[in-house]
Amino acid sequence: MDLEKQTAPAADMRASDADRDRIADILRDALAEGRLTPDEHGERVEGVLNAKTVGELEVFIKDLPAAHGPRTGPAHASVPNRPSDVLADPDDHAVAIFSSAVRRGRRRAGRRIHAYAVFGSVEIDLSEAIFEYQQVVIKAFAVFGSVEVRVPENVSLRGAGGGVLGSFEVDSLDAEDPAAPVVYVDGWAVLGSVEGRARRGKLVADILDRVHSKVDRSLRKHLGR
């Protein structure tokens, strides 16, 4: 059997979400550098969403420098712009179709959260969440809807995504503590919006202090002190 016929060229391989994210990052950088106009960026992003193979994706960056050499991230970045270890399956789904979905309060933050807003709104508020993992990935998709993410101000926050006639805005945030959790917001906004912000005044340390205080009060009450 001919081995060359068995092995398909890389360009013919089906594109994954990670492949589309990589191309979208290059297009976003090209827009910021002035290599693409907003109209050109929008057209190419729409093409990236519709591309089926890796070869089709590469067409959208073939005239950009990033396609002809290794990409280097900014020297000042204290945390990587992409997560290093991500589970394929989400720990939680937040789905809003002609409705709303909310995740807030004192709850454990999973390693991967999927949020879908279709003619609806999703709110993911991690300002009081328990962070058991150093990396939390939120995959957000808004179609004629909105996804809003809020985090404590002493974690790191990164965003990688885009908008097609929509808005994808995630504020970059660097925590002073290099061991602090990192929240990655990734996805697309199609005629909708995806937003990631820090909730000022909310700190992971403050939450832990309140928990310890409640535990101490409960113990003193139990012991009759």
Side-chain angles (χ1 to χ4, degrees):
M1 185 177 292
D2 191 341
L3 184 60
E4 291 183 357
K5 292 182 179 179
Q6 282 185 294
T7 306
D12 293 336
M13 291 180 61
R14 299 285 293 190
S16 67
D17 286 343
D19 294 326
R20 293 187 179 87
D21 291 343
R22 178 178 62 86
I23 301 300
D25 288 345
I26 293 175
L27 293 176
R28 186 179 64 251
D29 292 344
L31 175 64
E33 294 167 359
R35 300 182 188 276
L36 295 176
T37 67
D39 288 341
E40 290 172 332
H41 176 262
E43 291 174 359
R44 296 193 187 198
V45 166
E46 185 174 3
V48 167
L49 288 173
N50 294 324
K52 301 298 184 183
T53 67
V54 173
E56 292 175 0
L57 287 174
E58 296 294 340
V59 170
F60 298 107
I61 62 168
K62 66 179 182 179
D63 58 345
L64 300 175
H68 305 284
R71 297 184 65 202
T72 57
H76 63 273
S78 60
V79 297
N81 289 324
R82 306 293 302 172
S84 59
D85 183 21
V86 183
L87 292 178
D89 297 324
D91 299 312
D92 186 18
H93 282 96
V95 180
I97 301 176
F98 288 97
S99 62
S100 63
V102 178
R103 299 289 188 274
R104 69 159 71 102
R106 184 160 178 76
R107 61 198 312 272
R108 300 182 186 278
R111 293 178 63 184
R112 186 180 179 94
I113 303 169
H114 282 188
Y116 301 93
V118 181
F119 289 96
S121 64
V122 174
E123 178 187 351
I124 299 177
D125 189 343
L126 301 178
S127 60
E128 295 186 358
I130 302 171
F131 288 86
E132 295 183 321
Y133 305 101
Q134 207 274 331
Q135 295 183 344
V136 174
V137 177
I138 299 175
K139 200 79 172 177
F141 298 94
V143 181
F144 289 97
S146 64
V147 176
E148 180 182 289
V149 178
R150 292 292 181 266
V151 301
E153 64 175 285
N154 61 340
V155 305
S156 293
L157 179 63
R158 289 290 185 270
V164 179
L165 299 178
S167 172
F168 185 96
E169 297 183 3
V170 176
D171 290 343
S172 291
L173 179 66
D174 287 321
E176 294 183 4
D177 183 357
V182 184
V183 178
Y184 294 93
V185 181
D186 192 1
W188 294 92
V190 181
L191 292 167
S193 66
V194 174
E195 178 184 284
R197 301 279 188 274
R199 190 174 291 283
R200 299 302 175 187
K202 292 291 187 178
L203 304 174
V204 174
D206 291 344
I207 298 166
L208 294 176
D209 289 342
R210 289 203 300 272
V211 173
H212 293 157
S213 178
K214 289 180 180 179
V215 171
D216 289 342
R217 287 199 301 270
S218 297
L219 286 174
R220 288 196 296 269
K221 182 178 179 181
H222 179 72
L223 296 174
R225 296 180 182 178

